[in-house]
Amino acid sequence: MEGYLRTAVLLAGLTALFIGIGYGLGGQQGMVIAFLVACGTNLWAWWSSDRVVLGMHNAEPIAPESAPRLYQMVQGLAQRAGLPMPALYVIHEDQPNAFATGRNPENAAVAVNTGLLDLMSEAEIAGVVAHELAHIKHRDTLLMTITATLAGAIGMLAQFGFLFGGRDQEGGAAPSARSAPCC
């Protein structure tokens, strides 16, 4: 439950920040637009961010028959941790890395780079996977993926403000958007 509470506090705080930026850029209308965008982003982040992260890394699902030892290892570690078996993915990159993603243990995934599989022993891989499973158990994956998604949304809003300029208290163009006197 603590993971969900941390995530709720994060979402509320970032939504408030988003609304504040919207107000600064566009007054009350900007605030309303920013609130609606924040709500949409929150929902999208909750339901889709894990698939987006896996897609960004070109992660491919691992079937039990394609990597039986790795699959059995992850399955055994998940059972010992009291977790359902996460979806297992491989990323074809030489850099040794692994990460976990997902909004809850029932919708979690663990991705492992081929560089990690080639470089480390089975015991070392088990240690890395156990670490990723700990992130799933403590709901850190939800917090991390939503944080990254909302940070991207705030960056998008900042770009929007940069492109279109802000508004002053009377609704006019902000000083940075006005023409500067010549010479």
Side-chain angles (χ1 to χ4, degrees):
M1 191 64 184
E2 183 182 320
Y4 285 124
L5 179 63
R6 286 187 310 207
T7 303
V9 168
L10 173 71
L11 287 175
L14 287 177
T15 299
L17 177 63
F18 210 72
I19 290 168
I21 292 170
Y23 183 77
L25 293 174
Q28 283 186 329
Q29 185 178 12
M31 182 175 70
V32 170
I33 292 169
F35 176 72
L36 294 174
V37 170
C39 288
T41 302
N42 289 348
L43 289 172
W44 180 81
W46 180 269
W47 293 106
S48 316
S49 55
D50 57 338
R51 290 187 299 275
V52 170
V53 169
L54 292 167
M56 284 174 24
H57 292 282
N58 297 317
E60 297 174 3
I62 298 175
E65 54 277 355
S66 65
R69 290 177 62 100
L70 178 63
Y71 197 88
Q72 289 170 354
M73 174 198 306
V74 174
Q75 191 172 39
L77 289 168
Q79 283 176 345
R80 278 183 260 168
L83 295 169
M85 175 65 182
L88 195 53
Y89 289 83
V90 66
I91 300 170
H92 298 284
E93 281 189 21
D94 293 334
Q95 180 180 356
N97 193 21
F99 65 87
T101 187
R103 66 182 176 275
N104 57 31
E106 292 75 28
N107 296 290
V110 173
V112 182
N113 286 14
T114 52
L116 183 116
L117 298 173
D118 294 340
L119 184 67
M120 296 186 153
S121 70
E122 196 168 311
E124 292 169 325
I125 294 169
V128 171
V129 170
H131 172 87
E132 299 309 327
L133 291 174
H135 283 305
I136 293 169
K137 186 171 182 112
H138 296 288
R139 307 267 199 288
D140 297 337
T141 54
L142 175 63
L143 188 65
M144 290 183 290
T145 49
I146 287 181
T147 300
T149 303
L150 291 179
I154 290 170
M156 176 194 71
L157 185 64
Q159 287 292 339
F160 183 76
F162 176 73
L163 291 174
F164 295 103
R167 300 283 164 208
D168 63 14
Q169 300 257 336
E170 291 81 36
S176 62
R178 292 186 186 129
S179 298
C182 180
C183 309

